[in-house]
DNA sequence: ATATTAAATAAGAATCATTACTATCTTATA
DNA sequence: TATAAGATAGTAATGATTCTTATTTAATAT
């Protein structure tokens, strides 16, 4: 993978802000530093970084990307829209073990709770 | 809510097949019985039925709808694409109780495991 | 049964996220 | 520095979903 300016900048954006960002948000941030960058390039780099396990994609209405870290679960507030990382790993592991016993092999997961957050 | 032909047919499609179907699949099935039906109508009716808790929408790459039944979890095979309903309700309830203790109110959730199914 | 009317529909345009395409450019390497 | 495979910009294309508006229809009152 070639170390292009575009790739370096997008990686830096994720290092600077460890939140859940859309492709378009990344594009706007990258565009400030590299006005010639194209949205298609942002999408291609995001896809590549997901394939390489550098990023993770969260499928909500619009795709959101975040740095790949220890596995976690998401809570999205229906009022303010904030996305939080929440605990629950033991319970999920328990489900995955039961699936394994049944002969299924889990490689990925998407666990999202929706509701009203503490502040709202 | 008016009992239109379009609404009745779409409900019957879900009664006949209790699987996870896309808007377009519904449209094609409905179209056989009512060639004049439009895709926009299918979408509007699906949205209405979700609002009324008759259907549930599963957000994967493409939206998939199924009859609303007891809460459950999904497993999607990366190879054959089959979507299965799997158990794990106790563990999820445990997570939700912890969220409640922290002051969050859960109203909806989306729990999907991806991997390879028993047959593949 | 018929007229009335508010709600639902068909058809197609519009929107929005994402991907495909291709000529041009750039990083890595010799 | 010359070269070539890989990456990019710009833009067209795609696919799912929603919007718009003129027309139709189910429910209700007569
Ligand atoms: Mn997260
Ligand atoms: Mn299901
Ligand atoms: Zn909130
Ligand atoms: Zn399978």
């Amino acid at each position: 993978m070639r170390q292009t300016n575009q790739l370096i900048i997008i990686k830096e954006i994720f290092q600077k802000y460890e939140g859940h960002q859309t492709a378009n948000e990344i594009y706007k941030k990258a565009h400030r530093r590299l006005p010639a960058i194209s949205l298609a390039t942002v999408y291609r780099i995001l896809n590549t970084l997901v394939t390489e396990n550098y990023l993770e994609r969260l499928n909500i209405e619009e795709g959101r990307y975040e740095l790949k870290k220890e596995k976690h679960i998401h809570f999205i507030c229906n009022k303010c829209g904030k996305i939080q990382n929440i605990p629950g790993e033991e319970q999920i592991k328990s489900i995955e073990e039961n699936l394994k016993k049944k002969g299924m092999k889990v490689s990925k997961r998407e666990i999202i709770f929706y509701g009203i957050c503490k502040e709202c």
Side-chain angles (χ1 to χ4, degrees), chain A:
Chain A
M1 202 176 181
R2 286 197 195 161
Q3 296 304 303
T4 65
N5 244 325
Q6 292 84 343
L7 174 65
I8 292 164
I9 286 173
I10 287 177
K11 277 181 157 184
E12 282 177 5
I13 287 169
F14 278 100
Q15 292 299 335
K16 230 174 258 172
Y17 174 66
E18 289 207 7
H20 308 81
Q21 309 176 77
T22 66
N24 200 49
E25 284 166 1
I26 302 298
Y27 170 69
K28 282 191 279 185
K29 289 180 186 176
H31 186 264
R32 280 184 223 136
R33 293 181 52 190
L34 188 59
I37 198 171
S38 85
L39 182 56
T41 297
V42 171
Y43 271 106
R44 193 178 25 68
I45 290 177
L46 290 176
N47 284 335
T48 308
L49 291 178
V50 167
T51 309
E52 300 206 336
N53 282 331
Y54 181 89
L55 294 180
E56 195 165 7
R57 188 191 147 102
L58 181 56
N59 291 311
I60 27 183
E61 353 89 25
E62 195 179 343
R64 285 190 173 263
Y65 302 79
E66 68 174 329
L67 278 178
K68 184 115 174 188
K69 37 196 154 189
E70 76 282 359
K71 288 190 177 179
H72 61 275
I73 301 175
H74 291 108
F75 179 88
I76 303 180
C77 178
N78 288 328
K79 207 163 189 182
C80 69
K82 197 172 68 181
I83 306 174
Q84 296 182 52
N85 299 337
I86 59 173
E89 204 46 40
E90 316 89 53
Q91 291 93 331
I92 299 302
K93 273 216 179 85
S94 158
I95 295 176
E96 289 185 350
E97 272 162 27
N98 289 339
L99 291 178
K100 202 174 179 178
K101 280 176 198 160
K102 288 191 173 181
M104 305 176 207
K105 207 175 140 192
V106 177
S107 62
K108 212 190 80 176
R109 59 191 213 192
E110 179 128 328
I111 295 156
I112 309 175
F113 292 90
Y114 295 86
I116 306 293
C117 80
K118 205 177 168 180
E119 286 76 34
C120 296

